Amino acid sequence: MDSSMSRKIIRYVLIFVAFLAFIIIQPFTYENIDAGNVGIKINLYGTNRGVDNITIVTGRVWYNTWTTKIIEFPTFTQSVDYDPFVVTTKDAAEFKVDPKLNYHVNPAMVPQIYRQYRKTLTEIEQQFMRNSIYDAYRIVANSFSSDSVMSNREKFEDRIQTVLISKLGKDGFIYDQLTSAITPPESLRQMIDEKNASIQARLKAENQAKQADAEAKVKVATATGEAQALLVRAKSEAEANRLRQASLTPMLIQQEWIKKWDGKLPTTQTGAGTSFMMPIK
């Protein structure tokens, strides 16, 4: 193999290696912005560094990784389950709160969100949004006593919702729902249990009293009915006897006597063993 052929082979190899190196280190790539997401393009160099006033729609976006960065924000509903924390009421009772937040991002405000926080959505959730939730509970709890938190649970959570809607909404986060498991202190829980037991006992006693009263009324009604029935029977028998006595005329008595006569005349015993019969006229 002559030297000219060797130089050609080496040149081709070098070209191929350079091409592979270019393919490997070249800065151009693309990002797929899926449906339900918004992408923002960030310039890393030049006088226009920062977030462009362009919201990238769904689809494939080509960009230079050396000079540009693409940040993708989901705009569908997010659910974040935060670690429990403790808040204090105005009478110094400590309640444990275990919140779970559902929210979504306002697509039109995605560039503003990144300008303000310069973080990913996951980082924002665990920093700004968590602090907002904690502050909402802290502020509202300080305006409630421990008893009123439990007896006005709906009002308590409505106040927290109002604070969060205002706080999150102005920064581009739309509040959907907040689920909070609120655990009272052990002493208050015991008081609540005793109060509930007392209420249950009172309700049971009232129900028993109502049942006894109802049973007594049934017995009275039964006795009254039986007495009235006896009275009616007695009146009926008395009336029947009166009618029978009123119907016993002398003629009727004589007819009844004749029906029962066996044909023998009655005899009367006189002195000295003599007897005689009296004729019946």
Side-chain angles (χ1 to χ4, degrees):
M1 182 181 296
D2 58 13
S3 58
S4 61
M5 181 62 69
S6 299
R7 285 195 298 270
K8 288 182 180 180
I9 293 174
I10 293 172
R11 185 169 63 250
Y12 290 148
V13 170
L14 291 176
I15 293 172
F16 180 73
V17 170
F19 178 75
L20 287 179
F22 175 78
I23 294 297
I24 293 172
I25 66 175
Q26 62 86 25
F28 295 99
T29 186
Y30 64 90
E31 184 78 22
N32 284 322
I33 308 299
D34 298 326
N37 293 269
V38 168
I40 54 175
K41 184 171 68 175
I42 303 169
N43 291 326
L44 303 177
Y45 299 98
T47 57
N48 195 28
R49 290 193 300 270
V51 181
D52 285 352
N53 292 322
I54 299 175
T55 300
I56 301 174
V57 295
T58 59
R60 179 173 295 182
V61 180
W62 288 90
Y63 63 100
N64 187 334
T65 58
W66 291 353
T67 61
T68 309
K69 180 169 66 173
I70 299 294
I71 300 293
E72 189 173 356
F73 279 78
T75 56
F76 54 88
T77 299
Q78 304 294 305
S79 181
V80 188
D81 192 355
Y82 290 99
D83 293 332
F85 54 83
V86 175
V87 294
T88 305
T89 60
K90 65 180 181 180
D91 56 350
E94 293 184 342
F95 283 74
K96 186 174 79 172
V97 180
D98 188 5
K100 182 177 182 180
L101 176 67
N102 292 338
Y103 77 97
H104 63 277
V105 175
N106 183 351
M109 296 184 68
V110 168
Q112 177 182 330
I113 291 173
Y114 189 80
R115 285 193 194 100
Q116 182 172 353
Y117 297 104
R118 299 288 175 149
K119 297 180 183 297
T120 65
L121 188 57
T122 300
E123 293 173 320
I124 295 173
E125 289 173 349
Q126 296 302 324
Q127 296 176 20
F128 161 72
M129 296 180 70
R130 183 189 181 282
N131 292 337
S132 297
I133 292 173
Y134 174 79
D135 287 343
Y137 274 100
R138 180 181 57 81
I139 293 170
V140 175
N142 283 336
S143 64
F144 279 76
S145 65
S146 55
D147 288 341
S148 61
V149 169
M150 303 308 297
S151 59
N152 299 281
R153 178 74 175 272
E154 184 176 354
K155 182 179 178 182
F156 178 79
E157 294 188 346
D158 286 345
R159 291 273 298 276
I160 293 171
Q161 174 179 320
T162 301
V163 173
L164 285 177
I165 289 175
S166 175
K167 178 68 174 176
L168 299 178
K170 67 180 182 180
D171 290 325
F173 304 102
I174 301 176
Y175 172 97
D176 291 330
Q177 184 182 21
L178 179 67
T179 304
S180 54
I182 302 177
T183 305
E186 185 61 33
S187 58
L188 180 58
R189 188 187 309 176
Q190 184 176 355
M191 291 175 58
I192 293 172
D193 292 341
E194 291 174 354
K195 181 179 179 181
N196 290 335
S198 176
I199 293 173
Q200 293 297 326
R202 178 174 57 82
L203 293 175
K204 182 178 180 180
E206 289 178 355
N207 290 333
Q208 289 176 342
K210 290 179 180 178
Q211 182 178 357
D213 182 63
E215 291 176 353
K217 288 181 178 178
V218 171
K219 291 179 179 179
V220 170
T222 302
T224 301
E226 292 176 352
Q228 290 177 347
L230 289 174
L231 181 60
V232 169
R233 286 198 297 271
K235 287 182 177 180
S236 298
E237 291 177 359
E239 181 66 17
N241 290 334
R242 186 186 66 80
L243 293 174
R244 282 195 295 269
Q245 290 176 358
S247 63
L248 291 178
T249 60
M251 180 63 70
L252 181 60
I253 294 172
Q254 187 176 12
Q255 289 177 353
E256 290 295 325
W257 185 82
I258 293 172
K259 288 180 180 178
K260 295 179 180 179
W261 183 43
D262 57 0
K264 296 179 181 180
L265 293 174
T267 59
T268 301
Q269 187 73 29
T270 61
T274 304
S275 62
F276 65 93
M277 293 185 296
M278 296 180 63
I280 297 177
K281 295 181 179 181

